[in-house]
Amino acid sequence: MPDHGADLSPDRVTHRHADRLLGSLARGAWAPLAVVAVSAVVAAVAALALPAVLATAVDAVLTGQGAQGAALGLTLVLAVATCADLAGGIAGAASTAAATAALRLRFTAHVLALGITGTRRFPAGELTNRLVSNTATAGYVPVTLLRMAIGLLSSVGGIVALFVIDWRVGAAFLTGVPIALVVIRAFVTRASDLYGRYQAAQGGLAARLTGTLAGIRTVRAAGTADREITRVLAPLAELSAAGHALWRAQARSVWQITLLLSLIEVAVLAVAGLGVADGRLAPGQLLAAAGYAALGLGLLEQTDALMELAHARAAARRVQQVLALPAPAPGTGPLPDGPGALSLCGVTVAGDDGPLLDDVTVEIPAGALTAVVGRSGAGKSTLALLAGRLIDPDRGRVLLDGHPVDELDSGALRDVVAYAFERPALLGADLAGAIAYGLPAADRERVRAAARAAHIDAVIARLPGGYATPVGTAPLSGGELQRLGLARALVRHARLTVLDDATSSLDTATEAQVTGTLTEAMRGRTRLVIAHRATTAARADLVLWLDEGRIRARGTHRELWQDPAYRALFAAETGSSARTSSEEEPCPARP
């Protein structure tokens, strides 16, 4: 389904775009919505008939003629109205659930399609708030609009009935309607803006709380809990201000509308009462006029529904701001067999404070182990993300075996490019599923082979549940988590394997074992490693030196070591591994 307002800047999403999104929600819930419509129409017809039937019953009682038939008719109308309301309530809940589920599915699919670049626009807490809270609020709109529309028809029917009873009664009703409509319109406009402020403050609070919980160990270790509480709760001032402003606007409009409605009802009853006194109207018609006036006032008693719509409109705008972010166009082309050569041709990736990569052109040789080094912020991780199209460049092309990656089918690309990250997120029911994540065809032996290659098999074997240990309960260190992430990459037997600082938490002995896997067990496959240690760069076939988003130099570690600026990249290593290498041997020989 195409997203309304897609490719807009989130800041340019207006209430008009939100209205289009709300209008599209009925498509996914048309069946229960049809039941709501039918039941609402039946209930409206019963409501229109009730004053007339009640008036007939009163007149029958007063005259002593046909009282039993009138009572039976009144009972039938009440029974029909009750059944219609019950059916409408059940169908309304089903329709709201279906609309909310469809919107959440659409939102989730779009967020996943956005990838890394798109989701950086909104913190995780913001996205969670919009997915859970804002979609639920917007999901009520189809049912609310339908009931409002049918309620409007009922109100119009009640007004027409007043004119049928006596044109003077109908005219008395209409005297206060224009003023009430002006008050309601002003309230809805004001409430929409206030709800937007309120929800934005909620989202900001959720984003701060999510970030703090993710770094709870750092907060505890630094003793900054009080400071974090103050920071997380900072949006409460705006939340409170918007909430109080909303309450004030609601209170002001409610008493104005309530006063107008009461005056209109008094005017109708006064005119109808004079009609009874003059003999123009029967006593039952006075009762009918009171009933039809109540129905007609339903036109103006939509404050709660209008508040729901204002709330939903603000929520839909927040949802649409995410849907408006353009997702990368999926490729469709197949990827022929190849050795895994990676090429970047004039690649530029823009950042908030300047380019992350600036006109980079480089060849990653097929079958080689290539290390990318550089200071923090040089663009190393950005280059790694480009390799498997986790992000797209703003300019230039990325090619795998001569084929632009943005033209390749995403499933085919995932099959031939594997990643291991510095902080792997382990997904899956258990450790075996975490290693085989994204590759359900991998059998247990293949999973264990990958674990052995990543030197994590012995750790898993010591756990009481072994490979069946749930991911959330596995007591693993940072280095062990990294080795699980590495096993997840190795299980794929990919044409190109990208390690984004995926061994930074390993001790020296374990890193040497893992590096042996990269250099020997994976020989012949293309490996791209973001390296921070001299020992890793020393074992690479080729080193790319990134500096401020550009390739400063390329060559072997031994060749680049002659440059003091290159040696300075590794000067901060703990354990003096880099300094020992420089003093005893500029570049350790590869095994």
Side-chain angles (χ1 to χ4, degrees):
M1 179 186 298
D3 289 322
H4 297 286
D7 299 343
L8 281 173
S9 166
D11 297 331
R12 296 178 60 190
V13 172
T14 65
H15 286 305
R16 178 171 57 86
H17 300 106
D19 292 341
R20 291 180 183 176
L21 175 64
L22 292 174
S24 71
L25 294 181
R27 300 172 190 168
W30 64 268
L33 205 58
V35 177
V36 174
V38 172
S39 62
V41 168
V42 172
V45 171
L48 286 170
L50 183 59
V53 174
L54 186 59
T56 301
V58 170
D59 289 337
V61 171
L62 292 176
T63 60
Q65 297 178 357
Q68 289 184 345
L72 181 61
L74 180 60
T75 302
L76 180 62
V77 170
L78 291 173
V80 169
T82 301
C83 292
D85 286 340
L86 180 61
I90 296 173
S95 176
T96 298
T100 302
L103 184 57
R104 284 176 175 169
L105 180 62
R106 179 175 169 186
F107 185 93
T108 304
H110 190 73
V111 168
L112 293 178
L114 287 175
I116 296 172
T117 302
T119 53
R120 282 175 177 167
R121 180 63 186 264
F122 298 102
E126 267 282 0
L127 290 175
T128 302
N129 179 262
R130 297 179 192 223
L131 172 64
V132 176
S133 177
N134 296 154
T135 55
T137 301
Y140 284 98
V141 167
V143 172
T144 301
L145 282 177
L146 182 58
R147 287 175 174 165
M148 285 184 66
I150 295 175
L152 177 62
L153 293 178
S154 298
S155 297
V156 171
I159 296 170
V160 170
L162 289 175
F163 277 95
V164 170
I165 292 172
D166 184 6
W167 68 267
R168 299 173 185 82
V169 175
F173 180 90
L174 292 180
T175 53
V177 171
I179 300 174
L181 289 177
V182 170
V183 173
I184 291 173
R185 177 179 175 81
F187 168 71
V188 171
T189 302
R190 176 66 172 154
S192 294
D193 294 336
L194 290 174
Y195 270 125
R197 283 176 52 194
Y198 190 84
Q199 292 172 347
Q202 277 186 322
L205 194 151
R208 292 173 184 231
L209 179 60
T210 302
T212 298
L213 292 177
I216 190 65
R217 291 183 298 179
T218 302
V219 173
R220 295 280 296 182
T224 57
D226 292 340
R227 190 190 312 168
E228 278 300 303
I229 290 172
T230 302
R231 188 187 70 84
V232 169
L233 298 182
L236 278 181
E238 173 62 16
L239 192 71
S240 176
H244 282 86
L246 186 61
W247 293 337
R248 287 193 296 270
Q250 182 180 356
R252 184 167 54 250
S253 64
V254 165
W255 78 257
Q256 291 172 344
I257 293 172
T258 301
L259 179 60
L260 282 170
L261 296 183
S262 299
L263 291 175
I264 292 171
E265 194 166 10
V266 168
V268 169
L269 291 176
V271 173
L274 290 174
V276 173
D278 293 342
R280 293 194 318 271
L281 302 177
Q285 288 179 303
L286 173 61
L287 188 59
Y292 285 123
L295 278 177
L297 290 175
L299 173 68
L300 306 176
E301 292 177 337
Q302 299 283 355
T303 306
D304 289 342
L306 291 172
M307 285 188 64
E308 285 185 18
L309 288 180
H311 195 181
R313 201 181 189 202
R317 184 169 181 266
R318 286 169 54 78
V319 172
Q320 185 60 54
Q321 285 175 335
V322 178
L323 296 179
L325 291 172
T332 58
L335 179 62
D337 291 337
L342 180 68
S343 305
L344 278 69
C345 306
V347 166
T348 295
V349 178
D352 294 335
D353 301 321
L356 303 176
L357 290 178
D358 187 8
D359 195 26
V360 171
T361 296
V362 68
E363 297 285 335
I364 309 296
L369 172 59
T370 300
V372 182
V373 303
R375 296 188 182 278
S376 177
K380 304 183 297 297
S381 292
T382 301
L383 189 150
L385 295 174
L386 288 167
R389 206 196 172 193
L390 298 187
I391 62 172
D392 282 335
D394 294 287
R395 290 194 302 274
R397 295 188 305 163
V398 180
L399 300 95
L400 182 61
D401 290 324
H403 301 275
V405 295
D406 59 342
E407 297 178 5
L408 299 175
D409 176 77
S410 59
L413 192 60
R414 296 284 83 80
D415 288 340
V416 298
V417 181
Y419 275 91
F421 299 102
E422 179 183 8
R423 297 180 181 87
L426 299 182
L427 304 174
D430 53 26
L431 295 183
I435 294 174
Y437 185 74
L439 192 67
D443 56 26
R444 183 55 60 94
E445 183 52 41
R446 183 167 176 174
V447 167
R448 293 200 62 173
R452 285 193 294 269
H455 298 278
I456 192 64
D457 176 66
V459 174
I460 297 176
R462 288 196 297 268
L463 297 175
Y467 283 85
T469 302
V471 169
T473 63
L476 301 174
S477 67
E480 289 164 348
L481 285 173
Q482 280 195 339
R483 279 182 275 166
L484 273 173
L486 181 60
R488 182 173 58 192
L490 297 179
V491 77
R492 305 185 75 88
H493 299 169
R495 187 183 306 184
L496 169 63
T497 300
V498 182
L499 277 66
D500 186 358
D501 202 18
T503 61
S504 59
S505 297
L506 304 186
D507 58 74
T508 304
T510 305
E511 186 197 18
Q513 294 174 328
V514 171
T515 303
T517 297
L518 295 177
T519 55
E520 296 302 323
M522 298 182 66
R523 186 175 296 278
R525 282 187 271 165
T526 308
R527 292 139 290 161
L528 181 64
V529 180
I530 307 303
H532 290 274
R533 295 179 178 177
T535 52
T536 304
R539 291 176 177 268
D541 301 304
L542 172 68
V543 177
L544 301 178
W545 181 8
L546 275 177
D547 188 19
E548 296 185 351
R550 290 178 173 269
I551 300 293
R552 177 166 174 172
R554 56 176 294 165
T556 65
H557 179 71
R558 182 186 294 274
E559 293 167 348
L560 297 177
W561 193 260
Q562 308 305 315
D563 190 329
Y566 179 81
R567 293 198 300 271
L569 295 176
F570 308 100
E573 284 190 38
T574 59
S576 67
S577 57
R579 286 186 290 273
T580 301
S581 297
S582 63
E583 294 166 3
E584 298 178 359
E585 184 180 3
C587 178
R590 288 194 301 272

